[in-house]
Amino acid sequence: MREDGDSGMDGDPIGARLAAPIAVADLAKLPQRWFHAEVVALCRPPRGWSVGDLVWNPAFPGRLRGAWGRQLLNTASPVARHGGPCPWSPPCAYDPLFREHPALMGLETPKPYVIAADPAPDGLDLMALRLTLFGFATDWLESAADAWVLALRGGVAMPNGLHAALEPLDRRIAVHEGVAASAPPAAARLHFVTPLCLRRGGTTHGGVGSLFTSLGNRLSGMARWLDTTVVADWRSLKEHAATLTIDASSLRPLAWHRHSARQGDAPIRMEGLRGTVTLTGDLGPLWPLLTLGALTHAGSHAAQGLGRYSMEPLTV
């Protein structure tokens, strides 16, 4: 580990900021420090496709991300386009949102956003396509929102591989400060809207026990985008998680393919679990992880929209 005076981040202001947070918070205080922004575009599905065909397709959020990333790349500095820290002041939006930032404390630095697709809440045949930015990534909100519209308008790869324009009929931006953490219930059901991919435990039901480790790692990294270091007794939390009763019998394995421009657009097989997980026991110490995880998603490939869940409190 480098000493504080040898961050190795010269010429990389974003990397330096991630490496040296100015605040410290425990898990109970982290929701109070949280801030994020949402960009929501309402679009009709292209001809020949229904809303359900797209919003329930696990690869679709990743296709939205790819189209958005291409638009950001078009406005990036030459150095950022080749994977280096952007020298512009302020850096171009591609740098914080798509560049691979160095691992910190042995953990991967997560991308500071998630993407989601839902049926529009008004019952019309529309999709609500949502981009959520976390922490100081919201400094680039305007550029990110403009690129989001251009990405949809310019065409997104459909499940058949063909590109189709998704013209935004409306675009809304909302900024949120703080996350209200409700009192932990006696039990909770997590509804995984998109497949959960856990690197430890694979796609087996038993692997769901690593969910809390995955959430802890992800939120510790995401807190860096909030200029915050998370302090927690992770060993005790892991031991506490082992005391919960976890019913993952409703999860079902799902396999699909995604495409990566970096890998020549070749199909990449993906596997995950979709369905519900019921947690029973003392959820109190773990409730901030679950509450924030519903915003940031859980598991691997969360920036591509995977691991998204909603929570339903239960009584026992």
Side-chain angles (χ1 to χ4, degrees), residues 277-302:
V277 175
T278 302
L279 307 171
T280 306
D282 180 9
L283 298 177
L286 302 163
W287 196 239
L289 286 178
L290 291 169
T291 299
L292 292 174
L295 286 174
T296 67
H297 304 188
S300 301
H301 306 293

Side-chain angles (χ1 to χ4, degrees), residues 154-175:
V156 176
M158 296 292 107
N160 61 4
L162 299 178
H163 283 69
L166 300 173
E167 179 62 34
L169 304 178
D170 189 12
R171 188 214 66 181
R172 303 171 187 178
I173 294 177
V175 178

Side-chain angles (χ1 to χ4, degrees), residues 198 201-209 248 251 273:
L198 292 172
T203 57
T204 64
H205 293 173
V208 175
L251 288 177
L273 296 165

Side-chain angles (χ1 to χ4, degrees), residues 10-307:
D10 292 344
D12 183 1
I14 292 174
R17 185 170 178 178
L18 291 170
I22 60 174
V24 176
D26 59 20
L27 286 178
K29 297 290 181 60
L30 190 57
Q32 301 171 24
R33 290 194 53 80
W34 202 268
F35 61 101
H36 63 281
E38 295 178 319
V39 182
V40 180
L42 297 181
C43 303
R44 286 195 180 92
R47 181 174 298 179
W49 297 94
S50 71
V51 170
D53 289 336
L54 299 179
V55 300
W56 307 129
N57 187 306
F60 186 57
R63 295 173 186 269
L64 294 173
R65 177 182 182 266
W68 178 55
R70 286 189 291 273
Q71 291 295 333
L72 291 172
L73 186 64
N74 288 337
T75 62
S77 69
V79 173
R81 288 174 63 88
H82 288 88
C86 180
W88 292 353
S89 181
C92 60
Y94 186 85
D95 187 325
L97 299 175
F98 270 80
R99 182 165 65 87
E100 295 294 333
H101 296 281
L104 298 171
M105 305 298 291
L107 297 176
E108 179 181 347
T109 301
K111 297 292 190 297
Y113 58 84
V114 291
I115 289 169
D118 288 301
D122 55 14
L124 299 176
D125 188 28
L126 295 175
M127 301 179 294
L129 306 180
R130 177 180 291 101
L131 167 68
T132 304
L133 304 180
F134 300 113
F136 70 81
T138 58
D139 290 352
W140 289 268
L141 176 58
E142 184 175 345
S143 296
D146 289 345
W148 190 241
V149 170
L150 291 174
L152 300 174
R153 182 174 290 156
V156 176
M158 296 292 107
N160 61 4
L162 299 178
H163 283 69
L166 300 173
E167 179 62 34
L169 304 178
D170 189 12
R171 188 214 66 181
R172 303 171 187 178
I173 294 177
V175 178
H176 306 273
E177 294 190 11
V179 173
S182 60
R189 183 174 294 124
L190 310 186
H191 298 264
F192 281 93
V193 181
T194 59
L196 171 66
C197 299
L198 292 172
R199 291 175 180 173
R200 296 181 180 179
T203 57
T204 64
H205 293 173
V208 175
S210 65
L211 171 64
F212 292 103
T213 299
S214 176
L215 279 173
N217 291 342
R218 178 161 174 75
L219 289 170
S220 292
M222 198 67 78
R224 297 294 182 120
W225 292 98
L226 305 171
D227 296 310
T228 301
T229 298
V230 176
V231 291
D233 186 343
W234 298 110
R235 181 184 296 274
S236 293
L237 286 171
K238 183 177 180 180
E239 292 173 352
H240 185 83
T243 69
L244 300 180
T245 299
I246 301 177
D247 180 1
S249 60
S250 297
L251 288 177
R252 295 292 179 266
L254 183 68
W256 70 99
H257 289 87
R258 70 178 180 92
H259 292 77
S260 171
R262 293 183 178 181
Q263 301 185 38
D265 212 34
I268 301 170
R269 180 178 170 83
M270 301 287 291
E271 295 180 340
L273 296 165
R274 186 154 65 183
T276 62
V277 175
T278 302
L279 307 171
T280 306
D282 180 9
L283 298 177
L286 302 163
W287 196 239
L289 286 178
L290 291 169
T291 299
L292 292 174
L295 286 174
T296 67
H297 304 188
S300 301
H301 306 293
Q304 298 175 27
L306 300 184

